[in-house]
C-alpha cells in the first residue's frame, strides 16, 4: 500500500509529491493528461518568489523532474473511482487499468478552461477557437486575432499575441479589467492591441473555419462585427471536481471545502491548489497548498503508525 496518492500533477500535486517524498513517504501521482497543469501554458512567470522570469513549461518541467527524481511514481491515467476509507485504505482506479491503494489522498486536480457557451464554439475549436495562446498563437502569425476575457490570463495572452499577430482585439464584458494594473499598463503600451470594453461575443462567423465575431455592447445592446482569424478564450476556469462530488464537501461552485491544513471533511482526504475553496489562486498558493497538504497527510499517517 502506498502512503499517499495524489490526484493531479500540476503545481500543487507535484509540490505535495516532493514534500511527501522528502518526508520518506511512498507516493504515487495520478495524472490524466500531461504533467504541469495550467501553468504549463503560461508564457512568462514573473511573480514566483526567487525566480525573476521563467516560462510555464520550464517551471513545470523542473518541478516534475524534481518530484520524480525524489522517487514519486506517476501513473498517467484518468481517475475514475475512489473507494475505501482512512482506516481500511483508499483504492484509486484509473480508466486504463491503473489501480493503487493508499492511506491518504491529496486531490490536486485543478481547474479547466471555461467555454463561452455560444453556438458553434465546440465545432470551431481548433479551427480558429483556442483556449491556449501559448500553444496555438504561432498558427496566427501576421494575422488578426481576438482575446476574450479581462483577467490576468487574457491580458497576458493579448500581449503575447501582439508580438506575433498584426492586430489583436481584447474583448471584455466590463469597463474595468479584473487583471493586475501592471499588466494593463503593458497591454496599453502595445500599438496593435485594440480594446473593446463592455462587449460580449454574441455570435461566431464561419462554418468550417472562424472568420469573425459578432459582438454586443453591454451599454446599449448595439451589435458590431469584427473579422478575425482566431479567437483565444480566456474567461476563467471551472474546477475539475465532478468525480469527488458526494465523496467530499464542496461549495456551490464545485470547489472542495477544506481547512487551513487542506484536510477535507473526510479523514485522510486532502485538497490542494486551485480545486480548493479559497480567494487567491496563484502559482505560489498552489505550491503552498501542496506543501501544507503533504505535511498534514504525513502527520496523520505517522499518528496511525504510532497508534495515536
Ligand atoms: P479570472 O481572473 O477568473 O478572469 C476571468 C475573466 O473572464 C474575468 O475578467 C471575467 O469577467 C471574464 N469572464 C468570466 N466569465 C465570462 C463569460 N461567460 N463571458 C465573458 N467574460 C467572462 O481568470 P484568469 O484570468 O484565467 O485567472 C485565473 C487566476 O489565475 C487569477 O487568480 C489570476 O490572477 C491568476 N493568473 C495569474 C497569472 C500570473 O500571476 N502571472 C497569470 C494568469 C492567471 P469579470 O471581470 O467581469 O468577472
Amino acid at each position: 500500500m502506498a502512503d499517499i496518492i495524489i490526484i493531479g500533477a500540476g503545481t500543487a500535486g507535484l509540490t505535495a509529491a516532493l514534500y511527501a517524498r522528502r518526508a520518506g513517504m511512498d507516493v504515487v501521482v495520478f495524472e490524466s493528461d500531461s504533467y504541469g497543469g495550467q501553468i504549463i501554458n503560461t508564457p512568462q512567470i514573473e511573480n514566483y518568489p526567487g525566480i525573476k522570469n521563467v516560462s510555464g513549461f520550464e517551471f513545470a518541467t523542473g518541478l516534475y523532474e524534481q518530484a520524480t527524481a525524489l522517487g514519486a511514481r506517476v501513473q498517467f491515467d484518468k481517475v475514475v473511482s475512489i473507494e475505501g476509507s482512512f482506516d481500511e485504505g483508499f483504492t484509486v482506479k484509473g480508466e486504463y487499468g491503473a489501480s493503487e491503494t493508499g492511506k491518504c489522498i491529496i486531490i490536486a486536480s485543478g481547474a479547466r478552461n471555461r467555454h463561452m457557451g455560444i453556438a458553434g464554439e465546440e465545432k470551431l475549436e481548433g479551427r480558429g477557437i483556442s483556449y491556449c495562446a501559448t500553444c496555438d498563437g504561432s498558427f496566427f502569425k501576421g494575422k488578426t486575432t481576438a482575446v476574450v476575457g479581462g483577467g490576468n490570463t487574457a491580458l497576458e495572452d493579448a500581449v503575447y499575441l501582439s508580438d506575433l499577430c498584426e492586430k489583436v482585439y481584447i474583448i471584455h464584458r466590463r469597463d474595468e479589467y479584473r487583471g493586475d494594473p501592471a499588466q494593463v499598463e503593458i497591454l496599453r503600451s502595445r500599438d496593435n492591441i485594440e480594446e473593446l470594453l463592455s462587449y460580449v461575443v454574441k455570435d461566431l462567423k464561419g462554418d468550417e473555419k472562424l472568420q469573425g465575431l459578432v459582438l454586443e455592447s453591454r451599454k446599449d445592446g448595439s451589435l458590431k462585427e469584427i473579422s478575425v482569424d482566431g479567437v483565444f478564450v480566456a474567461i476563467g476556469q471551472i474546477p475539475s471536481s465532478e468525480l469527488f462530488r458526494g465523496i467530499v464537501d464542496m461549495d456551490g461552485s464545485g470547489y472542495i471545502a477544506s481547512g487551513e491544513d487542506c484536510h477535507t471533511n473526510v479523514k485522510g482526504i486532502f485538497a490542494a491548489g486551485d480545486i480548493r475553496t479559497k480567494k487567491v489562486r496563484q502559482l505560489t498558493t498552489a505550491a503552498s497548498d501542496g506543501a501544507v497538504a503533504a505535511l498534514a497527510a504525513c502527520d496523520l499517517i505517522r499518528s496511525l503508525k504510532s497508534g495515536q
Side-chain angles (χ1 to χ4, degrees):
M1 188 190 289
D3 288 310
I4 302 177
I5 297 174
I6 297 166
I7 302 174
T11 302
L14 290 174
T15 305
L18 89 85
Y19 268 78
R21 278 302 300 147
R22 281 174 58 84
M25 298 289 159
D26 183 25
V27 175
V28 55
V29 183
F30 274 83
E31 171 55 56
S32 62
D33 201 344
S34 57
Y35 66 80
Q38 289 188 71
I39 202 64
I40 206 155
N41 297 325
T42 297
Q44 294 295 332
I45 300 165
E46 293 182 343
N47 57 1
Y48 196 83
I51 302 175
K52 203 170 168 196
N53 193 304
V54 65
S55 75
F57 180 78
E58 233 180 303
F59 178 86
T61 302
L63 184 51
Y64 178 76
E65 287 174 356
Q66 196 176 4
T68 50
L70 281 166
R73 290 186 288 127
V74 182
Q75 291 274 18
F76 283 101
D77 200 349
K78 182 180 177 185
V79 174
V80 289
S81 73
I82 297 173
E83 282 169 2
S85 64
F86 179 69
D87 296 326
E88 64 193 35
F90 294 101
T91 298
V92 175
K93 288 188 176 159
E95 191 176 9
Y96 299 111
S99 178
E100 299 278 352
T101 302
K103 298 183 187 95
C104 285
I105 292 177
I106 297 176
I107 302 171
S109 50
R112 60 182 186 279
N113 296 318
R114 177 179 287 122
H115 289 201
M116 294 183 289
I118 300 174
E121 184 174 359
E122 311 299 327
K123 186 181 161 196
L124 291 171
E125 184 173 343
R127 297 167 178 207
I129 296 187
S130 168
Y131 301 87
C132 176
T134 28
C135 317
D136 300 330
S138 61
F139 297 125
F140 298 90
K141 265 188 193 142
K143 299 194 170 173
T144 298
T145 56
V147 174
V148 183
N152 277 325
T153 304
L155 295 170
E156 288 183 7
D157 284 357
V159 170
Y160 175 75
L161 290 167
S162 73
D163 286 331
L164 298 168
C165 304
E166 191 185 338
K167 181 171 177 88
V168 180
Y169 294 99
I170 181 160
I171 301 158
H172 178 38
R173 64 183 177 182
R174 288 188 296 128
D175 257 352
E176 248 181 76
Y177 291 109
R178 179 175 292 277
D180 298 341
Q183 195 59 38
V184 176
E185 212 175 296
I186 299 172
L187 177 104
R188 290 189 170 148
S189 70
R190 300 297 177 104
D191 291 338
N192 62 342
I193 299 181
E194 182 175 336
E195 298 173 65
L196 295 169
L197 298 177
S198 293
Y199 277 103
V200 289
V201 180
K202 187 84 180 153
D203 207 1
L204 304 168
K205 291 281 177 194
D207 279 335
E208 295 305 314
K209 197 172 152 291
L210 183 75
Q211 288 172 338
L213 304 172
V214 178
L215 309 179
E216 184 182 55
S217 164
R218 291 191 79 195
K219 289 197 165 149
D220 58 16
S222 61
L223 298 179
K224 174 187 177 78
E225 196 171 322
I226 57 170
S227 294
V228 293
D229 301 294
V231 62
F232 292 85
V233 181
I235 57 172
Q237 289 81 37
I238 44 177
S240 298
S241 61
E242 294 85 354
L243 180 70
F244 314 110
R245 197 169 288 283
I247 298 178
V248 290
D249 283 351
M250 291 179 190
D251 66 20
S253 304
Y255 291 97
I256 297 175
S258 62
E260 271 292 298
D261 59 357
C262 294
H263 213 162
T264 68
N265 63 310
V266 179
K267 188 176 180 186
I269 302 186
F270 298 79
D274 286 1
I275 196 73
R276 264 183 85 210
T277 298
K278 58 179 176 174
K279 193 162 176 208
V280 181
R281 292 194 172 83
Q282 295 281 311
L283 199 53
T284 44
T285 57
S288 160
D289 276 3
V292 170
L295 295 178
C298 292
D299 278 351
L300 193 61
I301 291 167
R302 284 196 200 102
S303 71
L304 178 78
K305 284 178 179 165
S306 65
Q308 285 168 358

